[in-house]
Structures are given as C-alpha cells and as structure tokens.
Amino acid sequence: MTQNHTMREIAFREALREAMSEEMRRDPNVFLMGEEVAEYNGAYKVSQGMLDEFGAKRVIDTPIAELGFAGIGVGAAANGLRPIIEFMTFNFSLVAIDQVINSAAKMMSMSGGQYSVPIVFRGPTGNAGMLSSQHSQNFENWFANTPGLKVVVPSNPYDAKGLLKSSIRDNDPVIFMESELMYGNKGEVPEEEYLIPLGKAHVKKEGKDLTIVSFGKMLCDNPQTGGVVMPAVAELEKQGISVEVIDLRTVRPIDYETVINSVKKTNRLVIVEESWPLASISSEIAYNVQRFAFDYLDAPIRRVNSMDLPLPYAPTLIEAILPSTKRIIEASNSVLYR
C-alpha cells in the first residue's frame, strides 16, 4: 500500500472511473469508446458522469459492433491517440478478436517499430452468476498467449486504479479484465495520484508453510462476489497452517520471480484460477516453478481451476464447477500431506 497517502473507501467501479478521468484530464489524446459508455453512463456505471465532463468527442457511444469500434480504436492508437475501448463483457471481444490479435498486438513488430498501439481494451471477465455459458468465460489465458499484448486482472479497487492508470500510459496494447461481480466492492484508495507498475505481483499475505497464487476475482476480499481464496486461507490458518498469498495482478507479463522466491520459502504451491485447466495461466506457472524451483518442492503442485466444461445456468451446477473455498482447502491439505 502506498505510504503517506490520505485513504478513503470507494467502490471498484469508482476507482476505474477515477483512473480514466484523471488520465483524460492529464492527456487530451485519451478517450473512451464503447457500448452505452456515454448517454447511459456505462452498462455497469463505470463511466458515470464522464460524458458531462469530457463531452461526446471523448466519451463515445457505439453501435453493437465490437469488430468495428475495436478497429477504430486500433487505427486511432496507431495515429497518436490513446483509446480506452470498453467491451460490455470480454465474451463479446470474440467478435473483435481479429483486431486485437492481428492488428493491435502485431502492429509494432510488423511495422519494424514505426507504429505503436497505446490502447486499453477493458471490461468484465468470468462468470457473474446465472448468465450461462456464452456470458461466463475467462479469456485471460487466450490473450496472454499473444506476444505484443499485456494482460492485467486486478482484484481490488486500489490495484484497479493504479494498474489502469499505468495501462493507459503504456505504449503497448493492454487487455484490462475486471469482474462484473466486483464493481460494487469497496476498498481503500488514496486521494493522491499513484501508479502501480505492470508486471509486478503483490504479496498479499506472508506465510511459511504453503504458497497460494491467484489473481482477479478469486482473490477479492468479498466471498459474496466470488472471493474464494481468502476464506480458505482463514480456515487453513485456524488449522495452524501459515499461508503466503500472491496476487499476480498481471498475467502477461507474469512475475515469476516473486512466485519462485515464495516457493523456495514455503516449498509447496497451490494455484487458483477461474479459467478452464487446459493451457491455462496455472499450467504456465506450474511449469516454470518445476523448471526453476524443482529442488525446493516438497510436494507436487496442485491447481484449482473451473471444471473443463461450459458454465451452465443452474446455480447448483455453477457452484460445483467453479473453484471453491472447499476445493482450495482440500488442495492445500493435499500438498501438506494432511
């Protein structure tokens, strides 16, 4: 946490709004574009009041045409502007994925460094309750698998603001993934300006017996909005197990150094990720830990992911498929041979 700052408690959506508004005041090249971001004040009220302050040339409502407005954003970024493109959900980004993967991510290398694409694609990721398969997917690992992109997944309002400001200032395209369930979550955020560097994990809690690595909604402090890691940690602590918790913050680049240093201390690792297990962020972390810290491991690495299925509509099935506090506790006890 930033030192010597005046703290106040605000909602996740307010932290995002402050980040965008501060950067738009600072730099006239920054603008926001997406469905319902202007007249409706944002589908999730993240951009509330921004149209009144910045006007219709900088807070721009679009048709339901992700491919079109993502492409406009990429072209604007290549010509010196700094767009923030809001997807109502990253499930809809699939309509625009050609612009993200084949244009934004590759423009710098294909132009031999002549063009940079300083653009932020942001919006909700993951499940948000009973919305069924097409509106409940996690694509963090998809985008993180693309050279040229940076991928940010904050877990709290403080990180959301500091990371979004850094993302807007970054000269590379950034995928900034939020959670629909977390927009109302409150947390302490400084009144003064601050930035959080991309690519640096946060040791959320220190411990000595076990490392748990996660990111995004899984690590939020509110179990009612998807936070499953910290309740599991609290239960494990009651059992006398000292848990170190690492919040990745960004999943491209991944801060392997912080993870590996923690495993060298605790000798055990559990990775919690909302996405499906195959070719996931947790797979990549597990590979790198066994590659660079194999001799320090006292047990096989365990992963807690969603089941390898499309997310159903029924709440009982959702509960069975998603990572849960119970499954995290079971995985933790497994690596401790308890």
Side-chain angles (χ1 to χ4, degrees):
M1 192 67 72
T2 308
Q3 300 298 313
N4 302 319
H5 275 179
T6 306
M7 308 299 288
R8 73 273 148 76
E9 191 172 71
I10 63 173
F12 195 96
R13 62 167 57 89
E14 294 175 287
L16 297 169
R17 183 187 312 140
E18 285 189 358
M20 292 191 292
S21 297
E22 287 177 14
E23 292 306 303
M24 288 175 71
R25 293 178 198 125
R26 172 182 171 272
D27 184 348
N29 289 321
V30 179
F31 68 94
L32 172 66
M33 178 170 22
E35 295 157 1
E36 298 185 345
V37 299
E39 296 288 346
Y40 190 66
N41 285 307
Y44 310 103
K45 299 300 177 272
V46 172
S47 55
Q48 189 165 26
M50 291 180 65
L51 174 64
D52 293 338
E53 178 174 355
F54 299 105
K57 287 188 176 181
R58 296 185 67 194
V59 182
I60 304 166
D61 276 331
T62 67
I64 303 174
E66 285 80 7
L67 176 63
F69 65 77
I72 291 170
V74 173
N79 282 279
L81 300 180
R82 290 184 175 270
I84 305 165
I85 303 299
E86 178 178 311
F87 293 126
M88 195 176 292
T89 157
F90 264 95
N91 296 275
F92 302 160
S93 74
L94 300 190
V95 182
I97 202 164
D98 180 62
Q99 288 294 344
V100 179
I101 302 297
N102 277 329
S103 295
K106 296 179 173 63
M107 189 83 72
M108 170 71 83
S109 60
M110 291 182 68
S111 69
Q114 294 180 81
Y115 289 95
S116 59
V117 185
I119 187 170
V120 175
F121 298 98
R122 52 156 292 269
T125 182
N127 96 89
M130 297 163 62
L131 297 177
S132 196
S133 306
Q134 294 175 333
H135 293 70
S136 304
Q137 300 166 104
N138 293 79
F139 295 124
E140 295 92 324
N141 55 324
W142 285 35
F143 290 111
N145 193 44
T146 306
L149 298 179
K150 295 175 181 175
V151 184
V152 182
V153 195
S155 66
N156 58 78
Y158 175 84
D159 286 3
K161 182 176 180 180
L163 290 167
L164 183 53
K165 285 173 69 71
S166 293
S167 299
I168 294 168
R169 297 187 191 188
D170 202 281
N171 287 326
D172 293 316
V174 178
I175 308 295
F176 195 94
M177 309 182 94
E178 304 145 15
S179 167
E180 185 178 336
L181 290 175
M182 285 170 53
Y183 282 129
N185 284 2
K186 292 189 174 182
E188 289 196 332
V189 176
E191 289 184 358
E192 299 82 1
E193 181 175 69
Y194 67 101
L195 298 170
I196 297 176
L198 307 187
K200 183 63 180 172
H202 171 59
V203 180
K204 185 177 175 76
K205 178 187 173 299
E206 294 193 357
K208 59 183 176 60
D209 297 328
L210 163 69
T211 298
I212 295 180
V213 173
S214 190
F215 58 91
K217 177 172 61 193
M218 300 285 97
L219 266 177
C220 79
D221 290 327
N222 186 350
Q224 301 303 314
T225 57
V228 291
V229 172
M230 298 316 292
V233 169
E235 184 58 37
L236 291 165
E237 295 277 339
K238 290 178 185 176
Q239 300 175 20
I241 300 164
S242 174
V243 183
E244 182 143 300
V245 181
I246 295 176
D247 185 345
L248 290 178
R249 285 178 166 167
T250 63
V251 297
R252 187 180 182 103
I254 294 174
D255 182 1
Y256 292 114
E257 182 180 6
T258 295
V259 175
I260 288 168
N261 286 340
S262 177
V263 171
K264 286 181 176 179
K265 178 172 68 171
T266 68
N267 311 116
R268 293 171 171 86
L269 175 62
V270 172
I271 311 161
V272 182
E273 178 184 10
E274 188 179 340
S275 186
W276 301 303
L278 183 65
S280 60
I281 299 298
S282 55
S283 309
E284 191 65 20
I285 293 170
Y287 166 77
N288 276 271
V289 170
Q290 70 80 30
R291 171 71 177 82
F292 296 107
F294 181 80
D295 290 339
Y296 292 88
L297 287 169
D298 287 343
I301 299 167
R302 286 290 304 273
R303 300 186 300 153
V304 180
N305 293 75
S306 288
M307 300 298 182
D308 202 11
L309 296 162
L311 197 72
Y313 178 81
T316 49
L317 294 176
I318 292 173
E319 184 178 356
I321 285 175
L322 290 177
S324 65
T325 295
K326 179 182 177 183
R327 286 174 58 201
I328 296 168
I329 292 170
E330 289 172 352
S332 300
N333 280 316
S334 170
V335 300
L336 289 158
Y337 299 113
R338 290 163 58 104

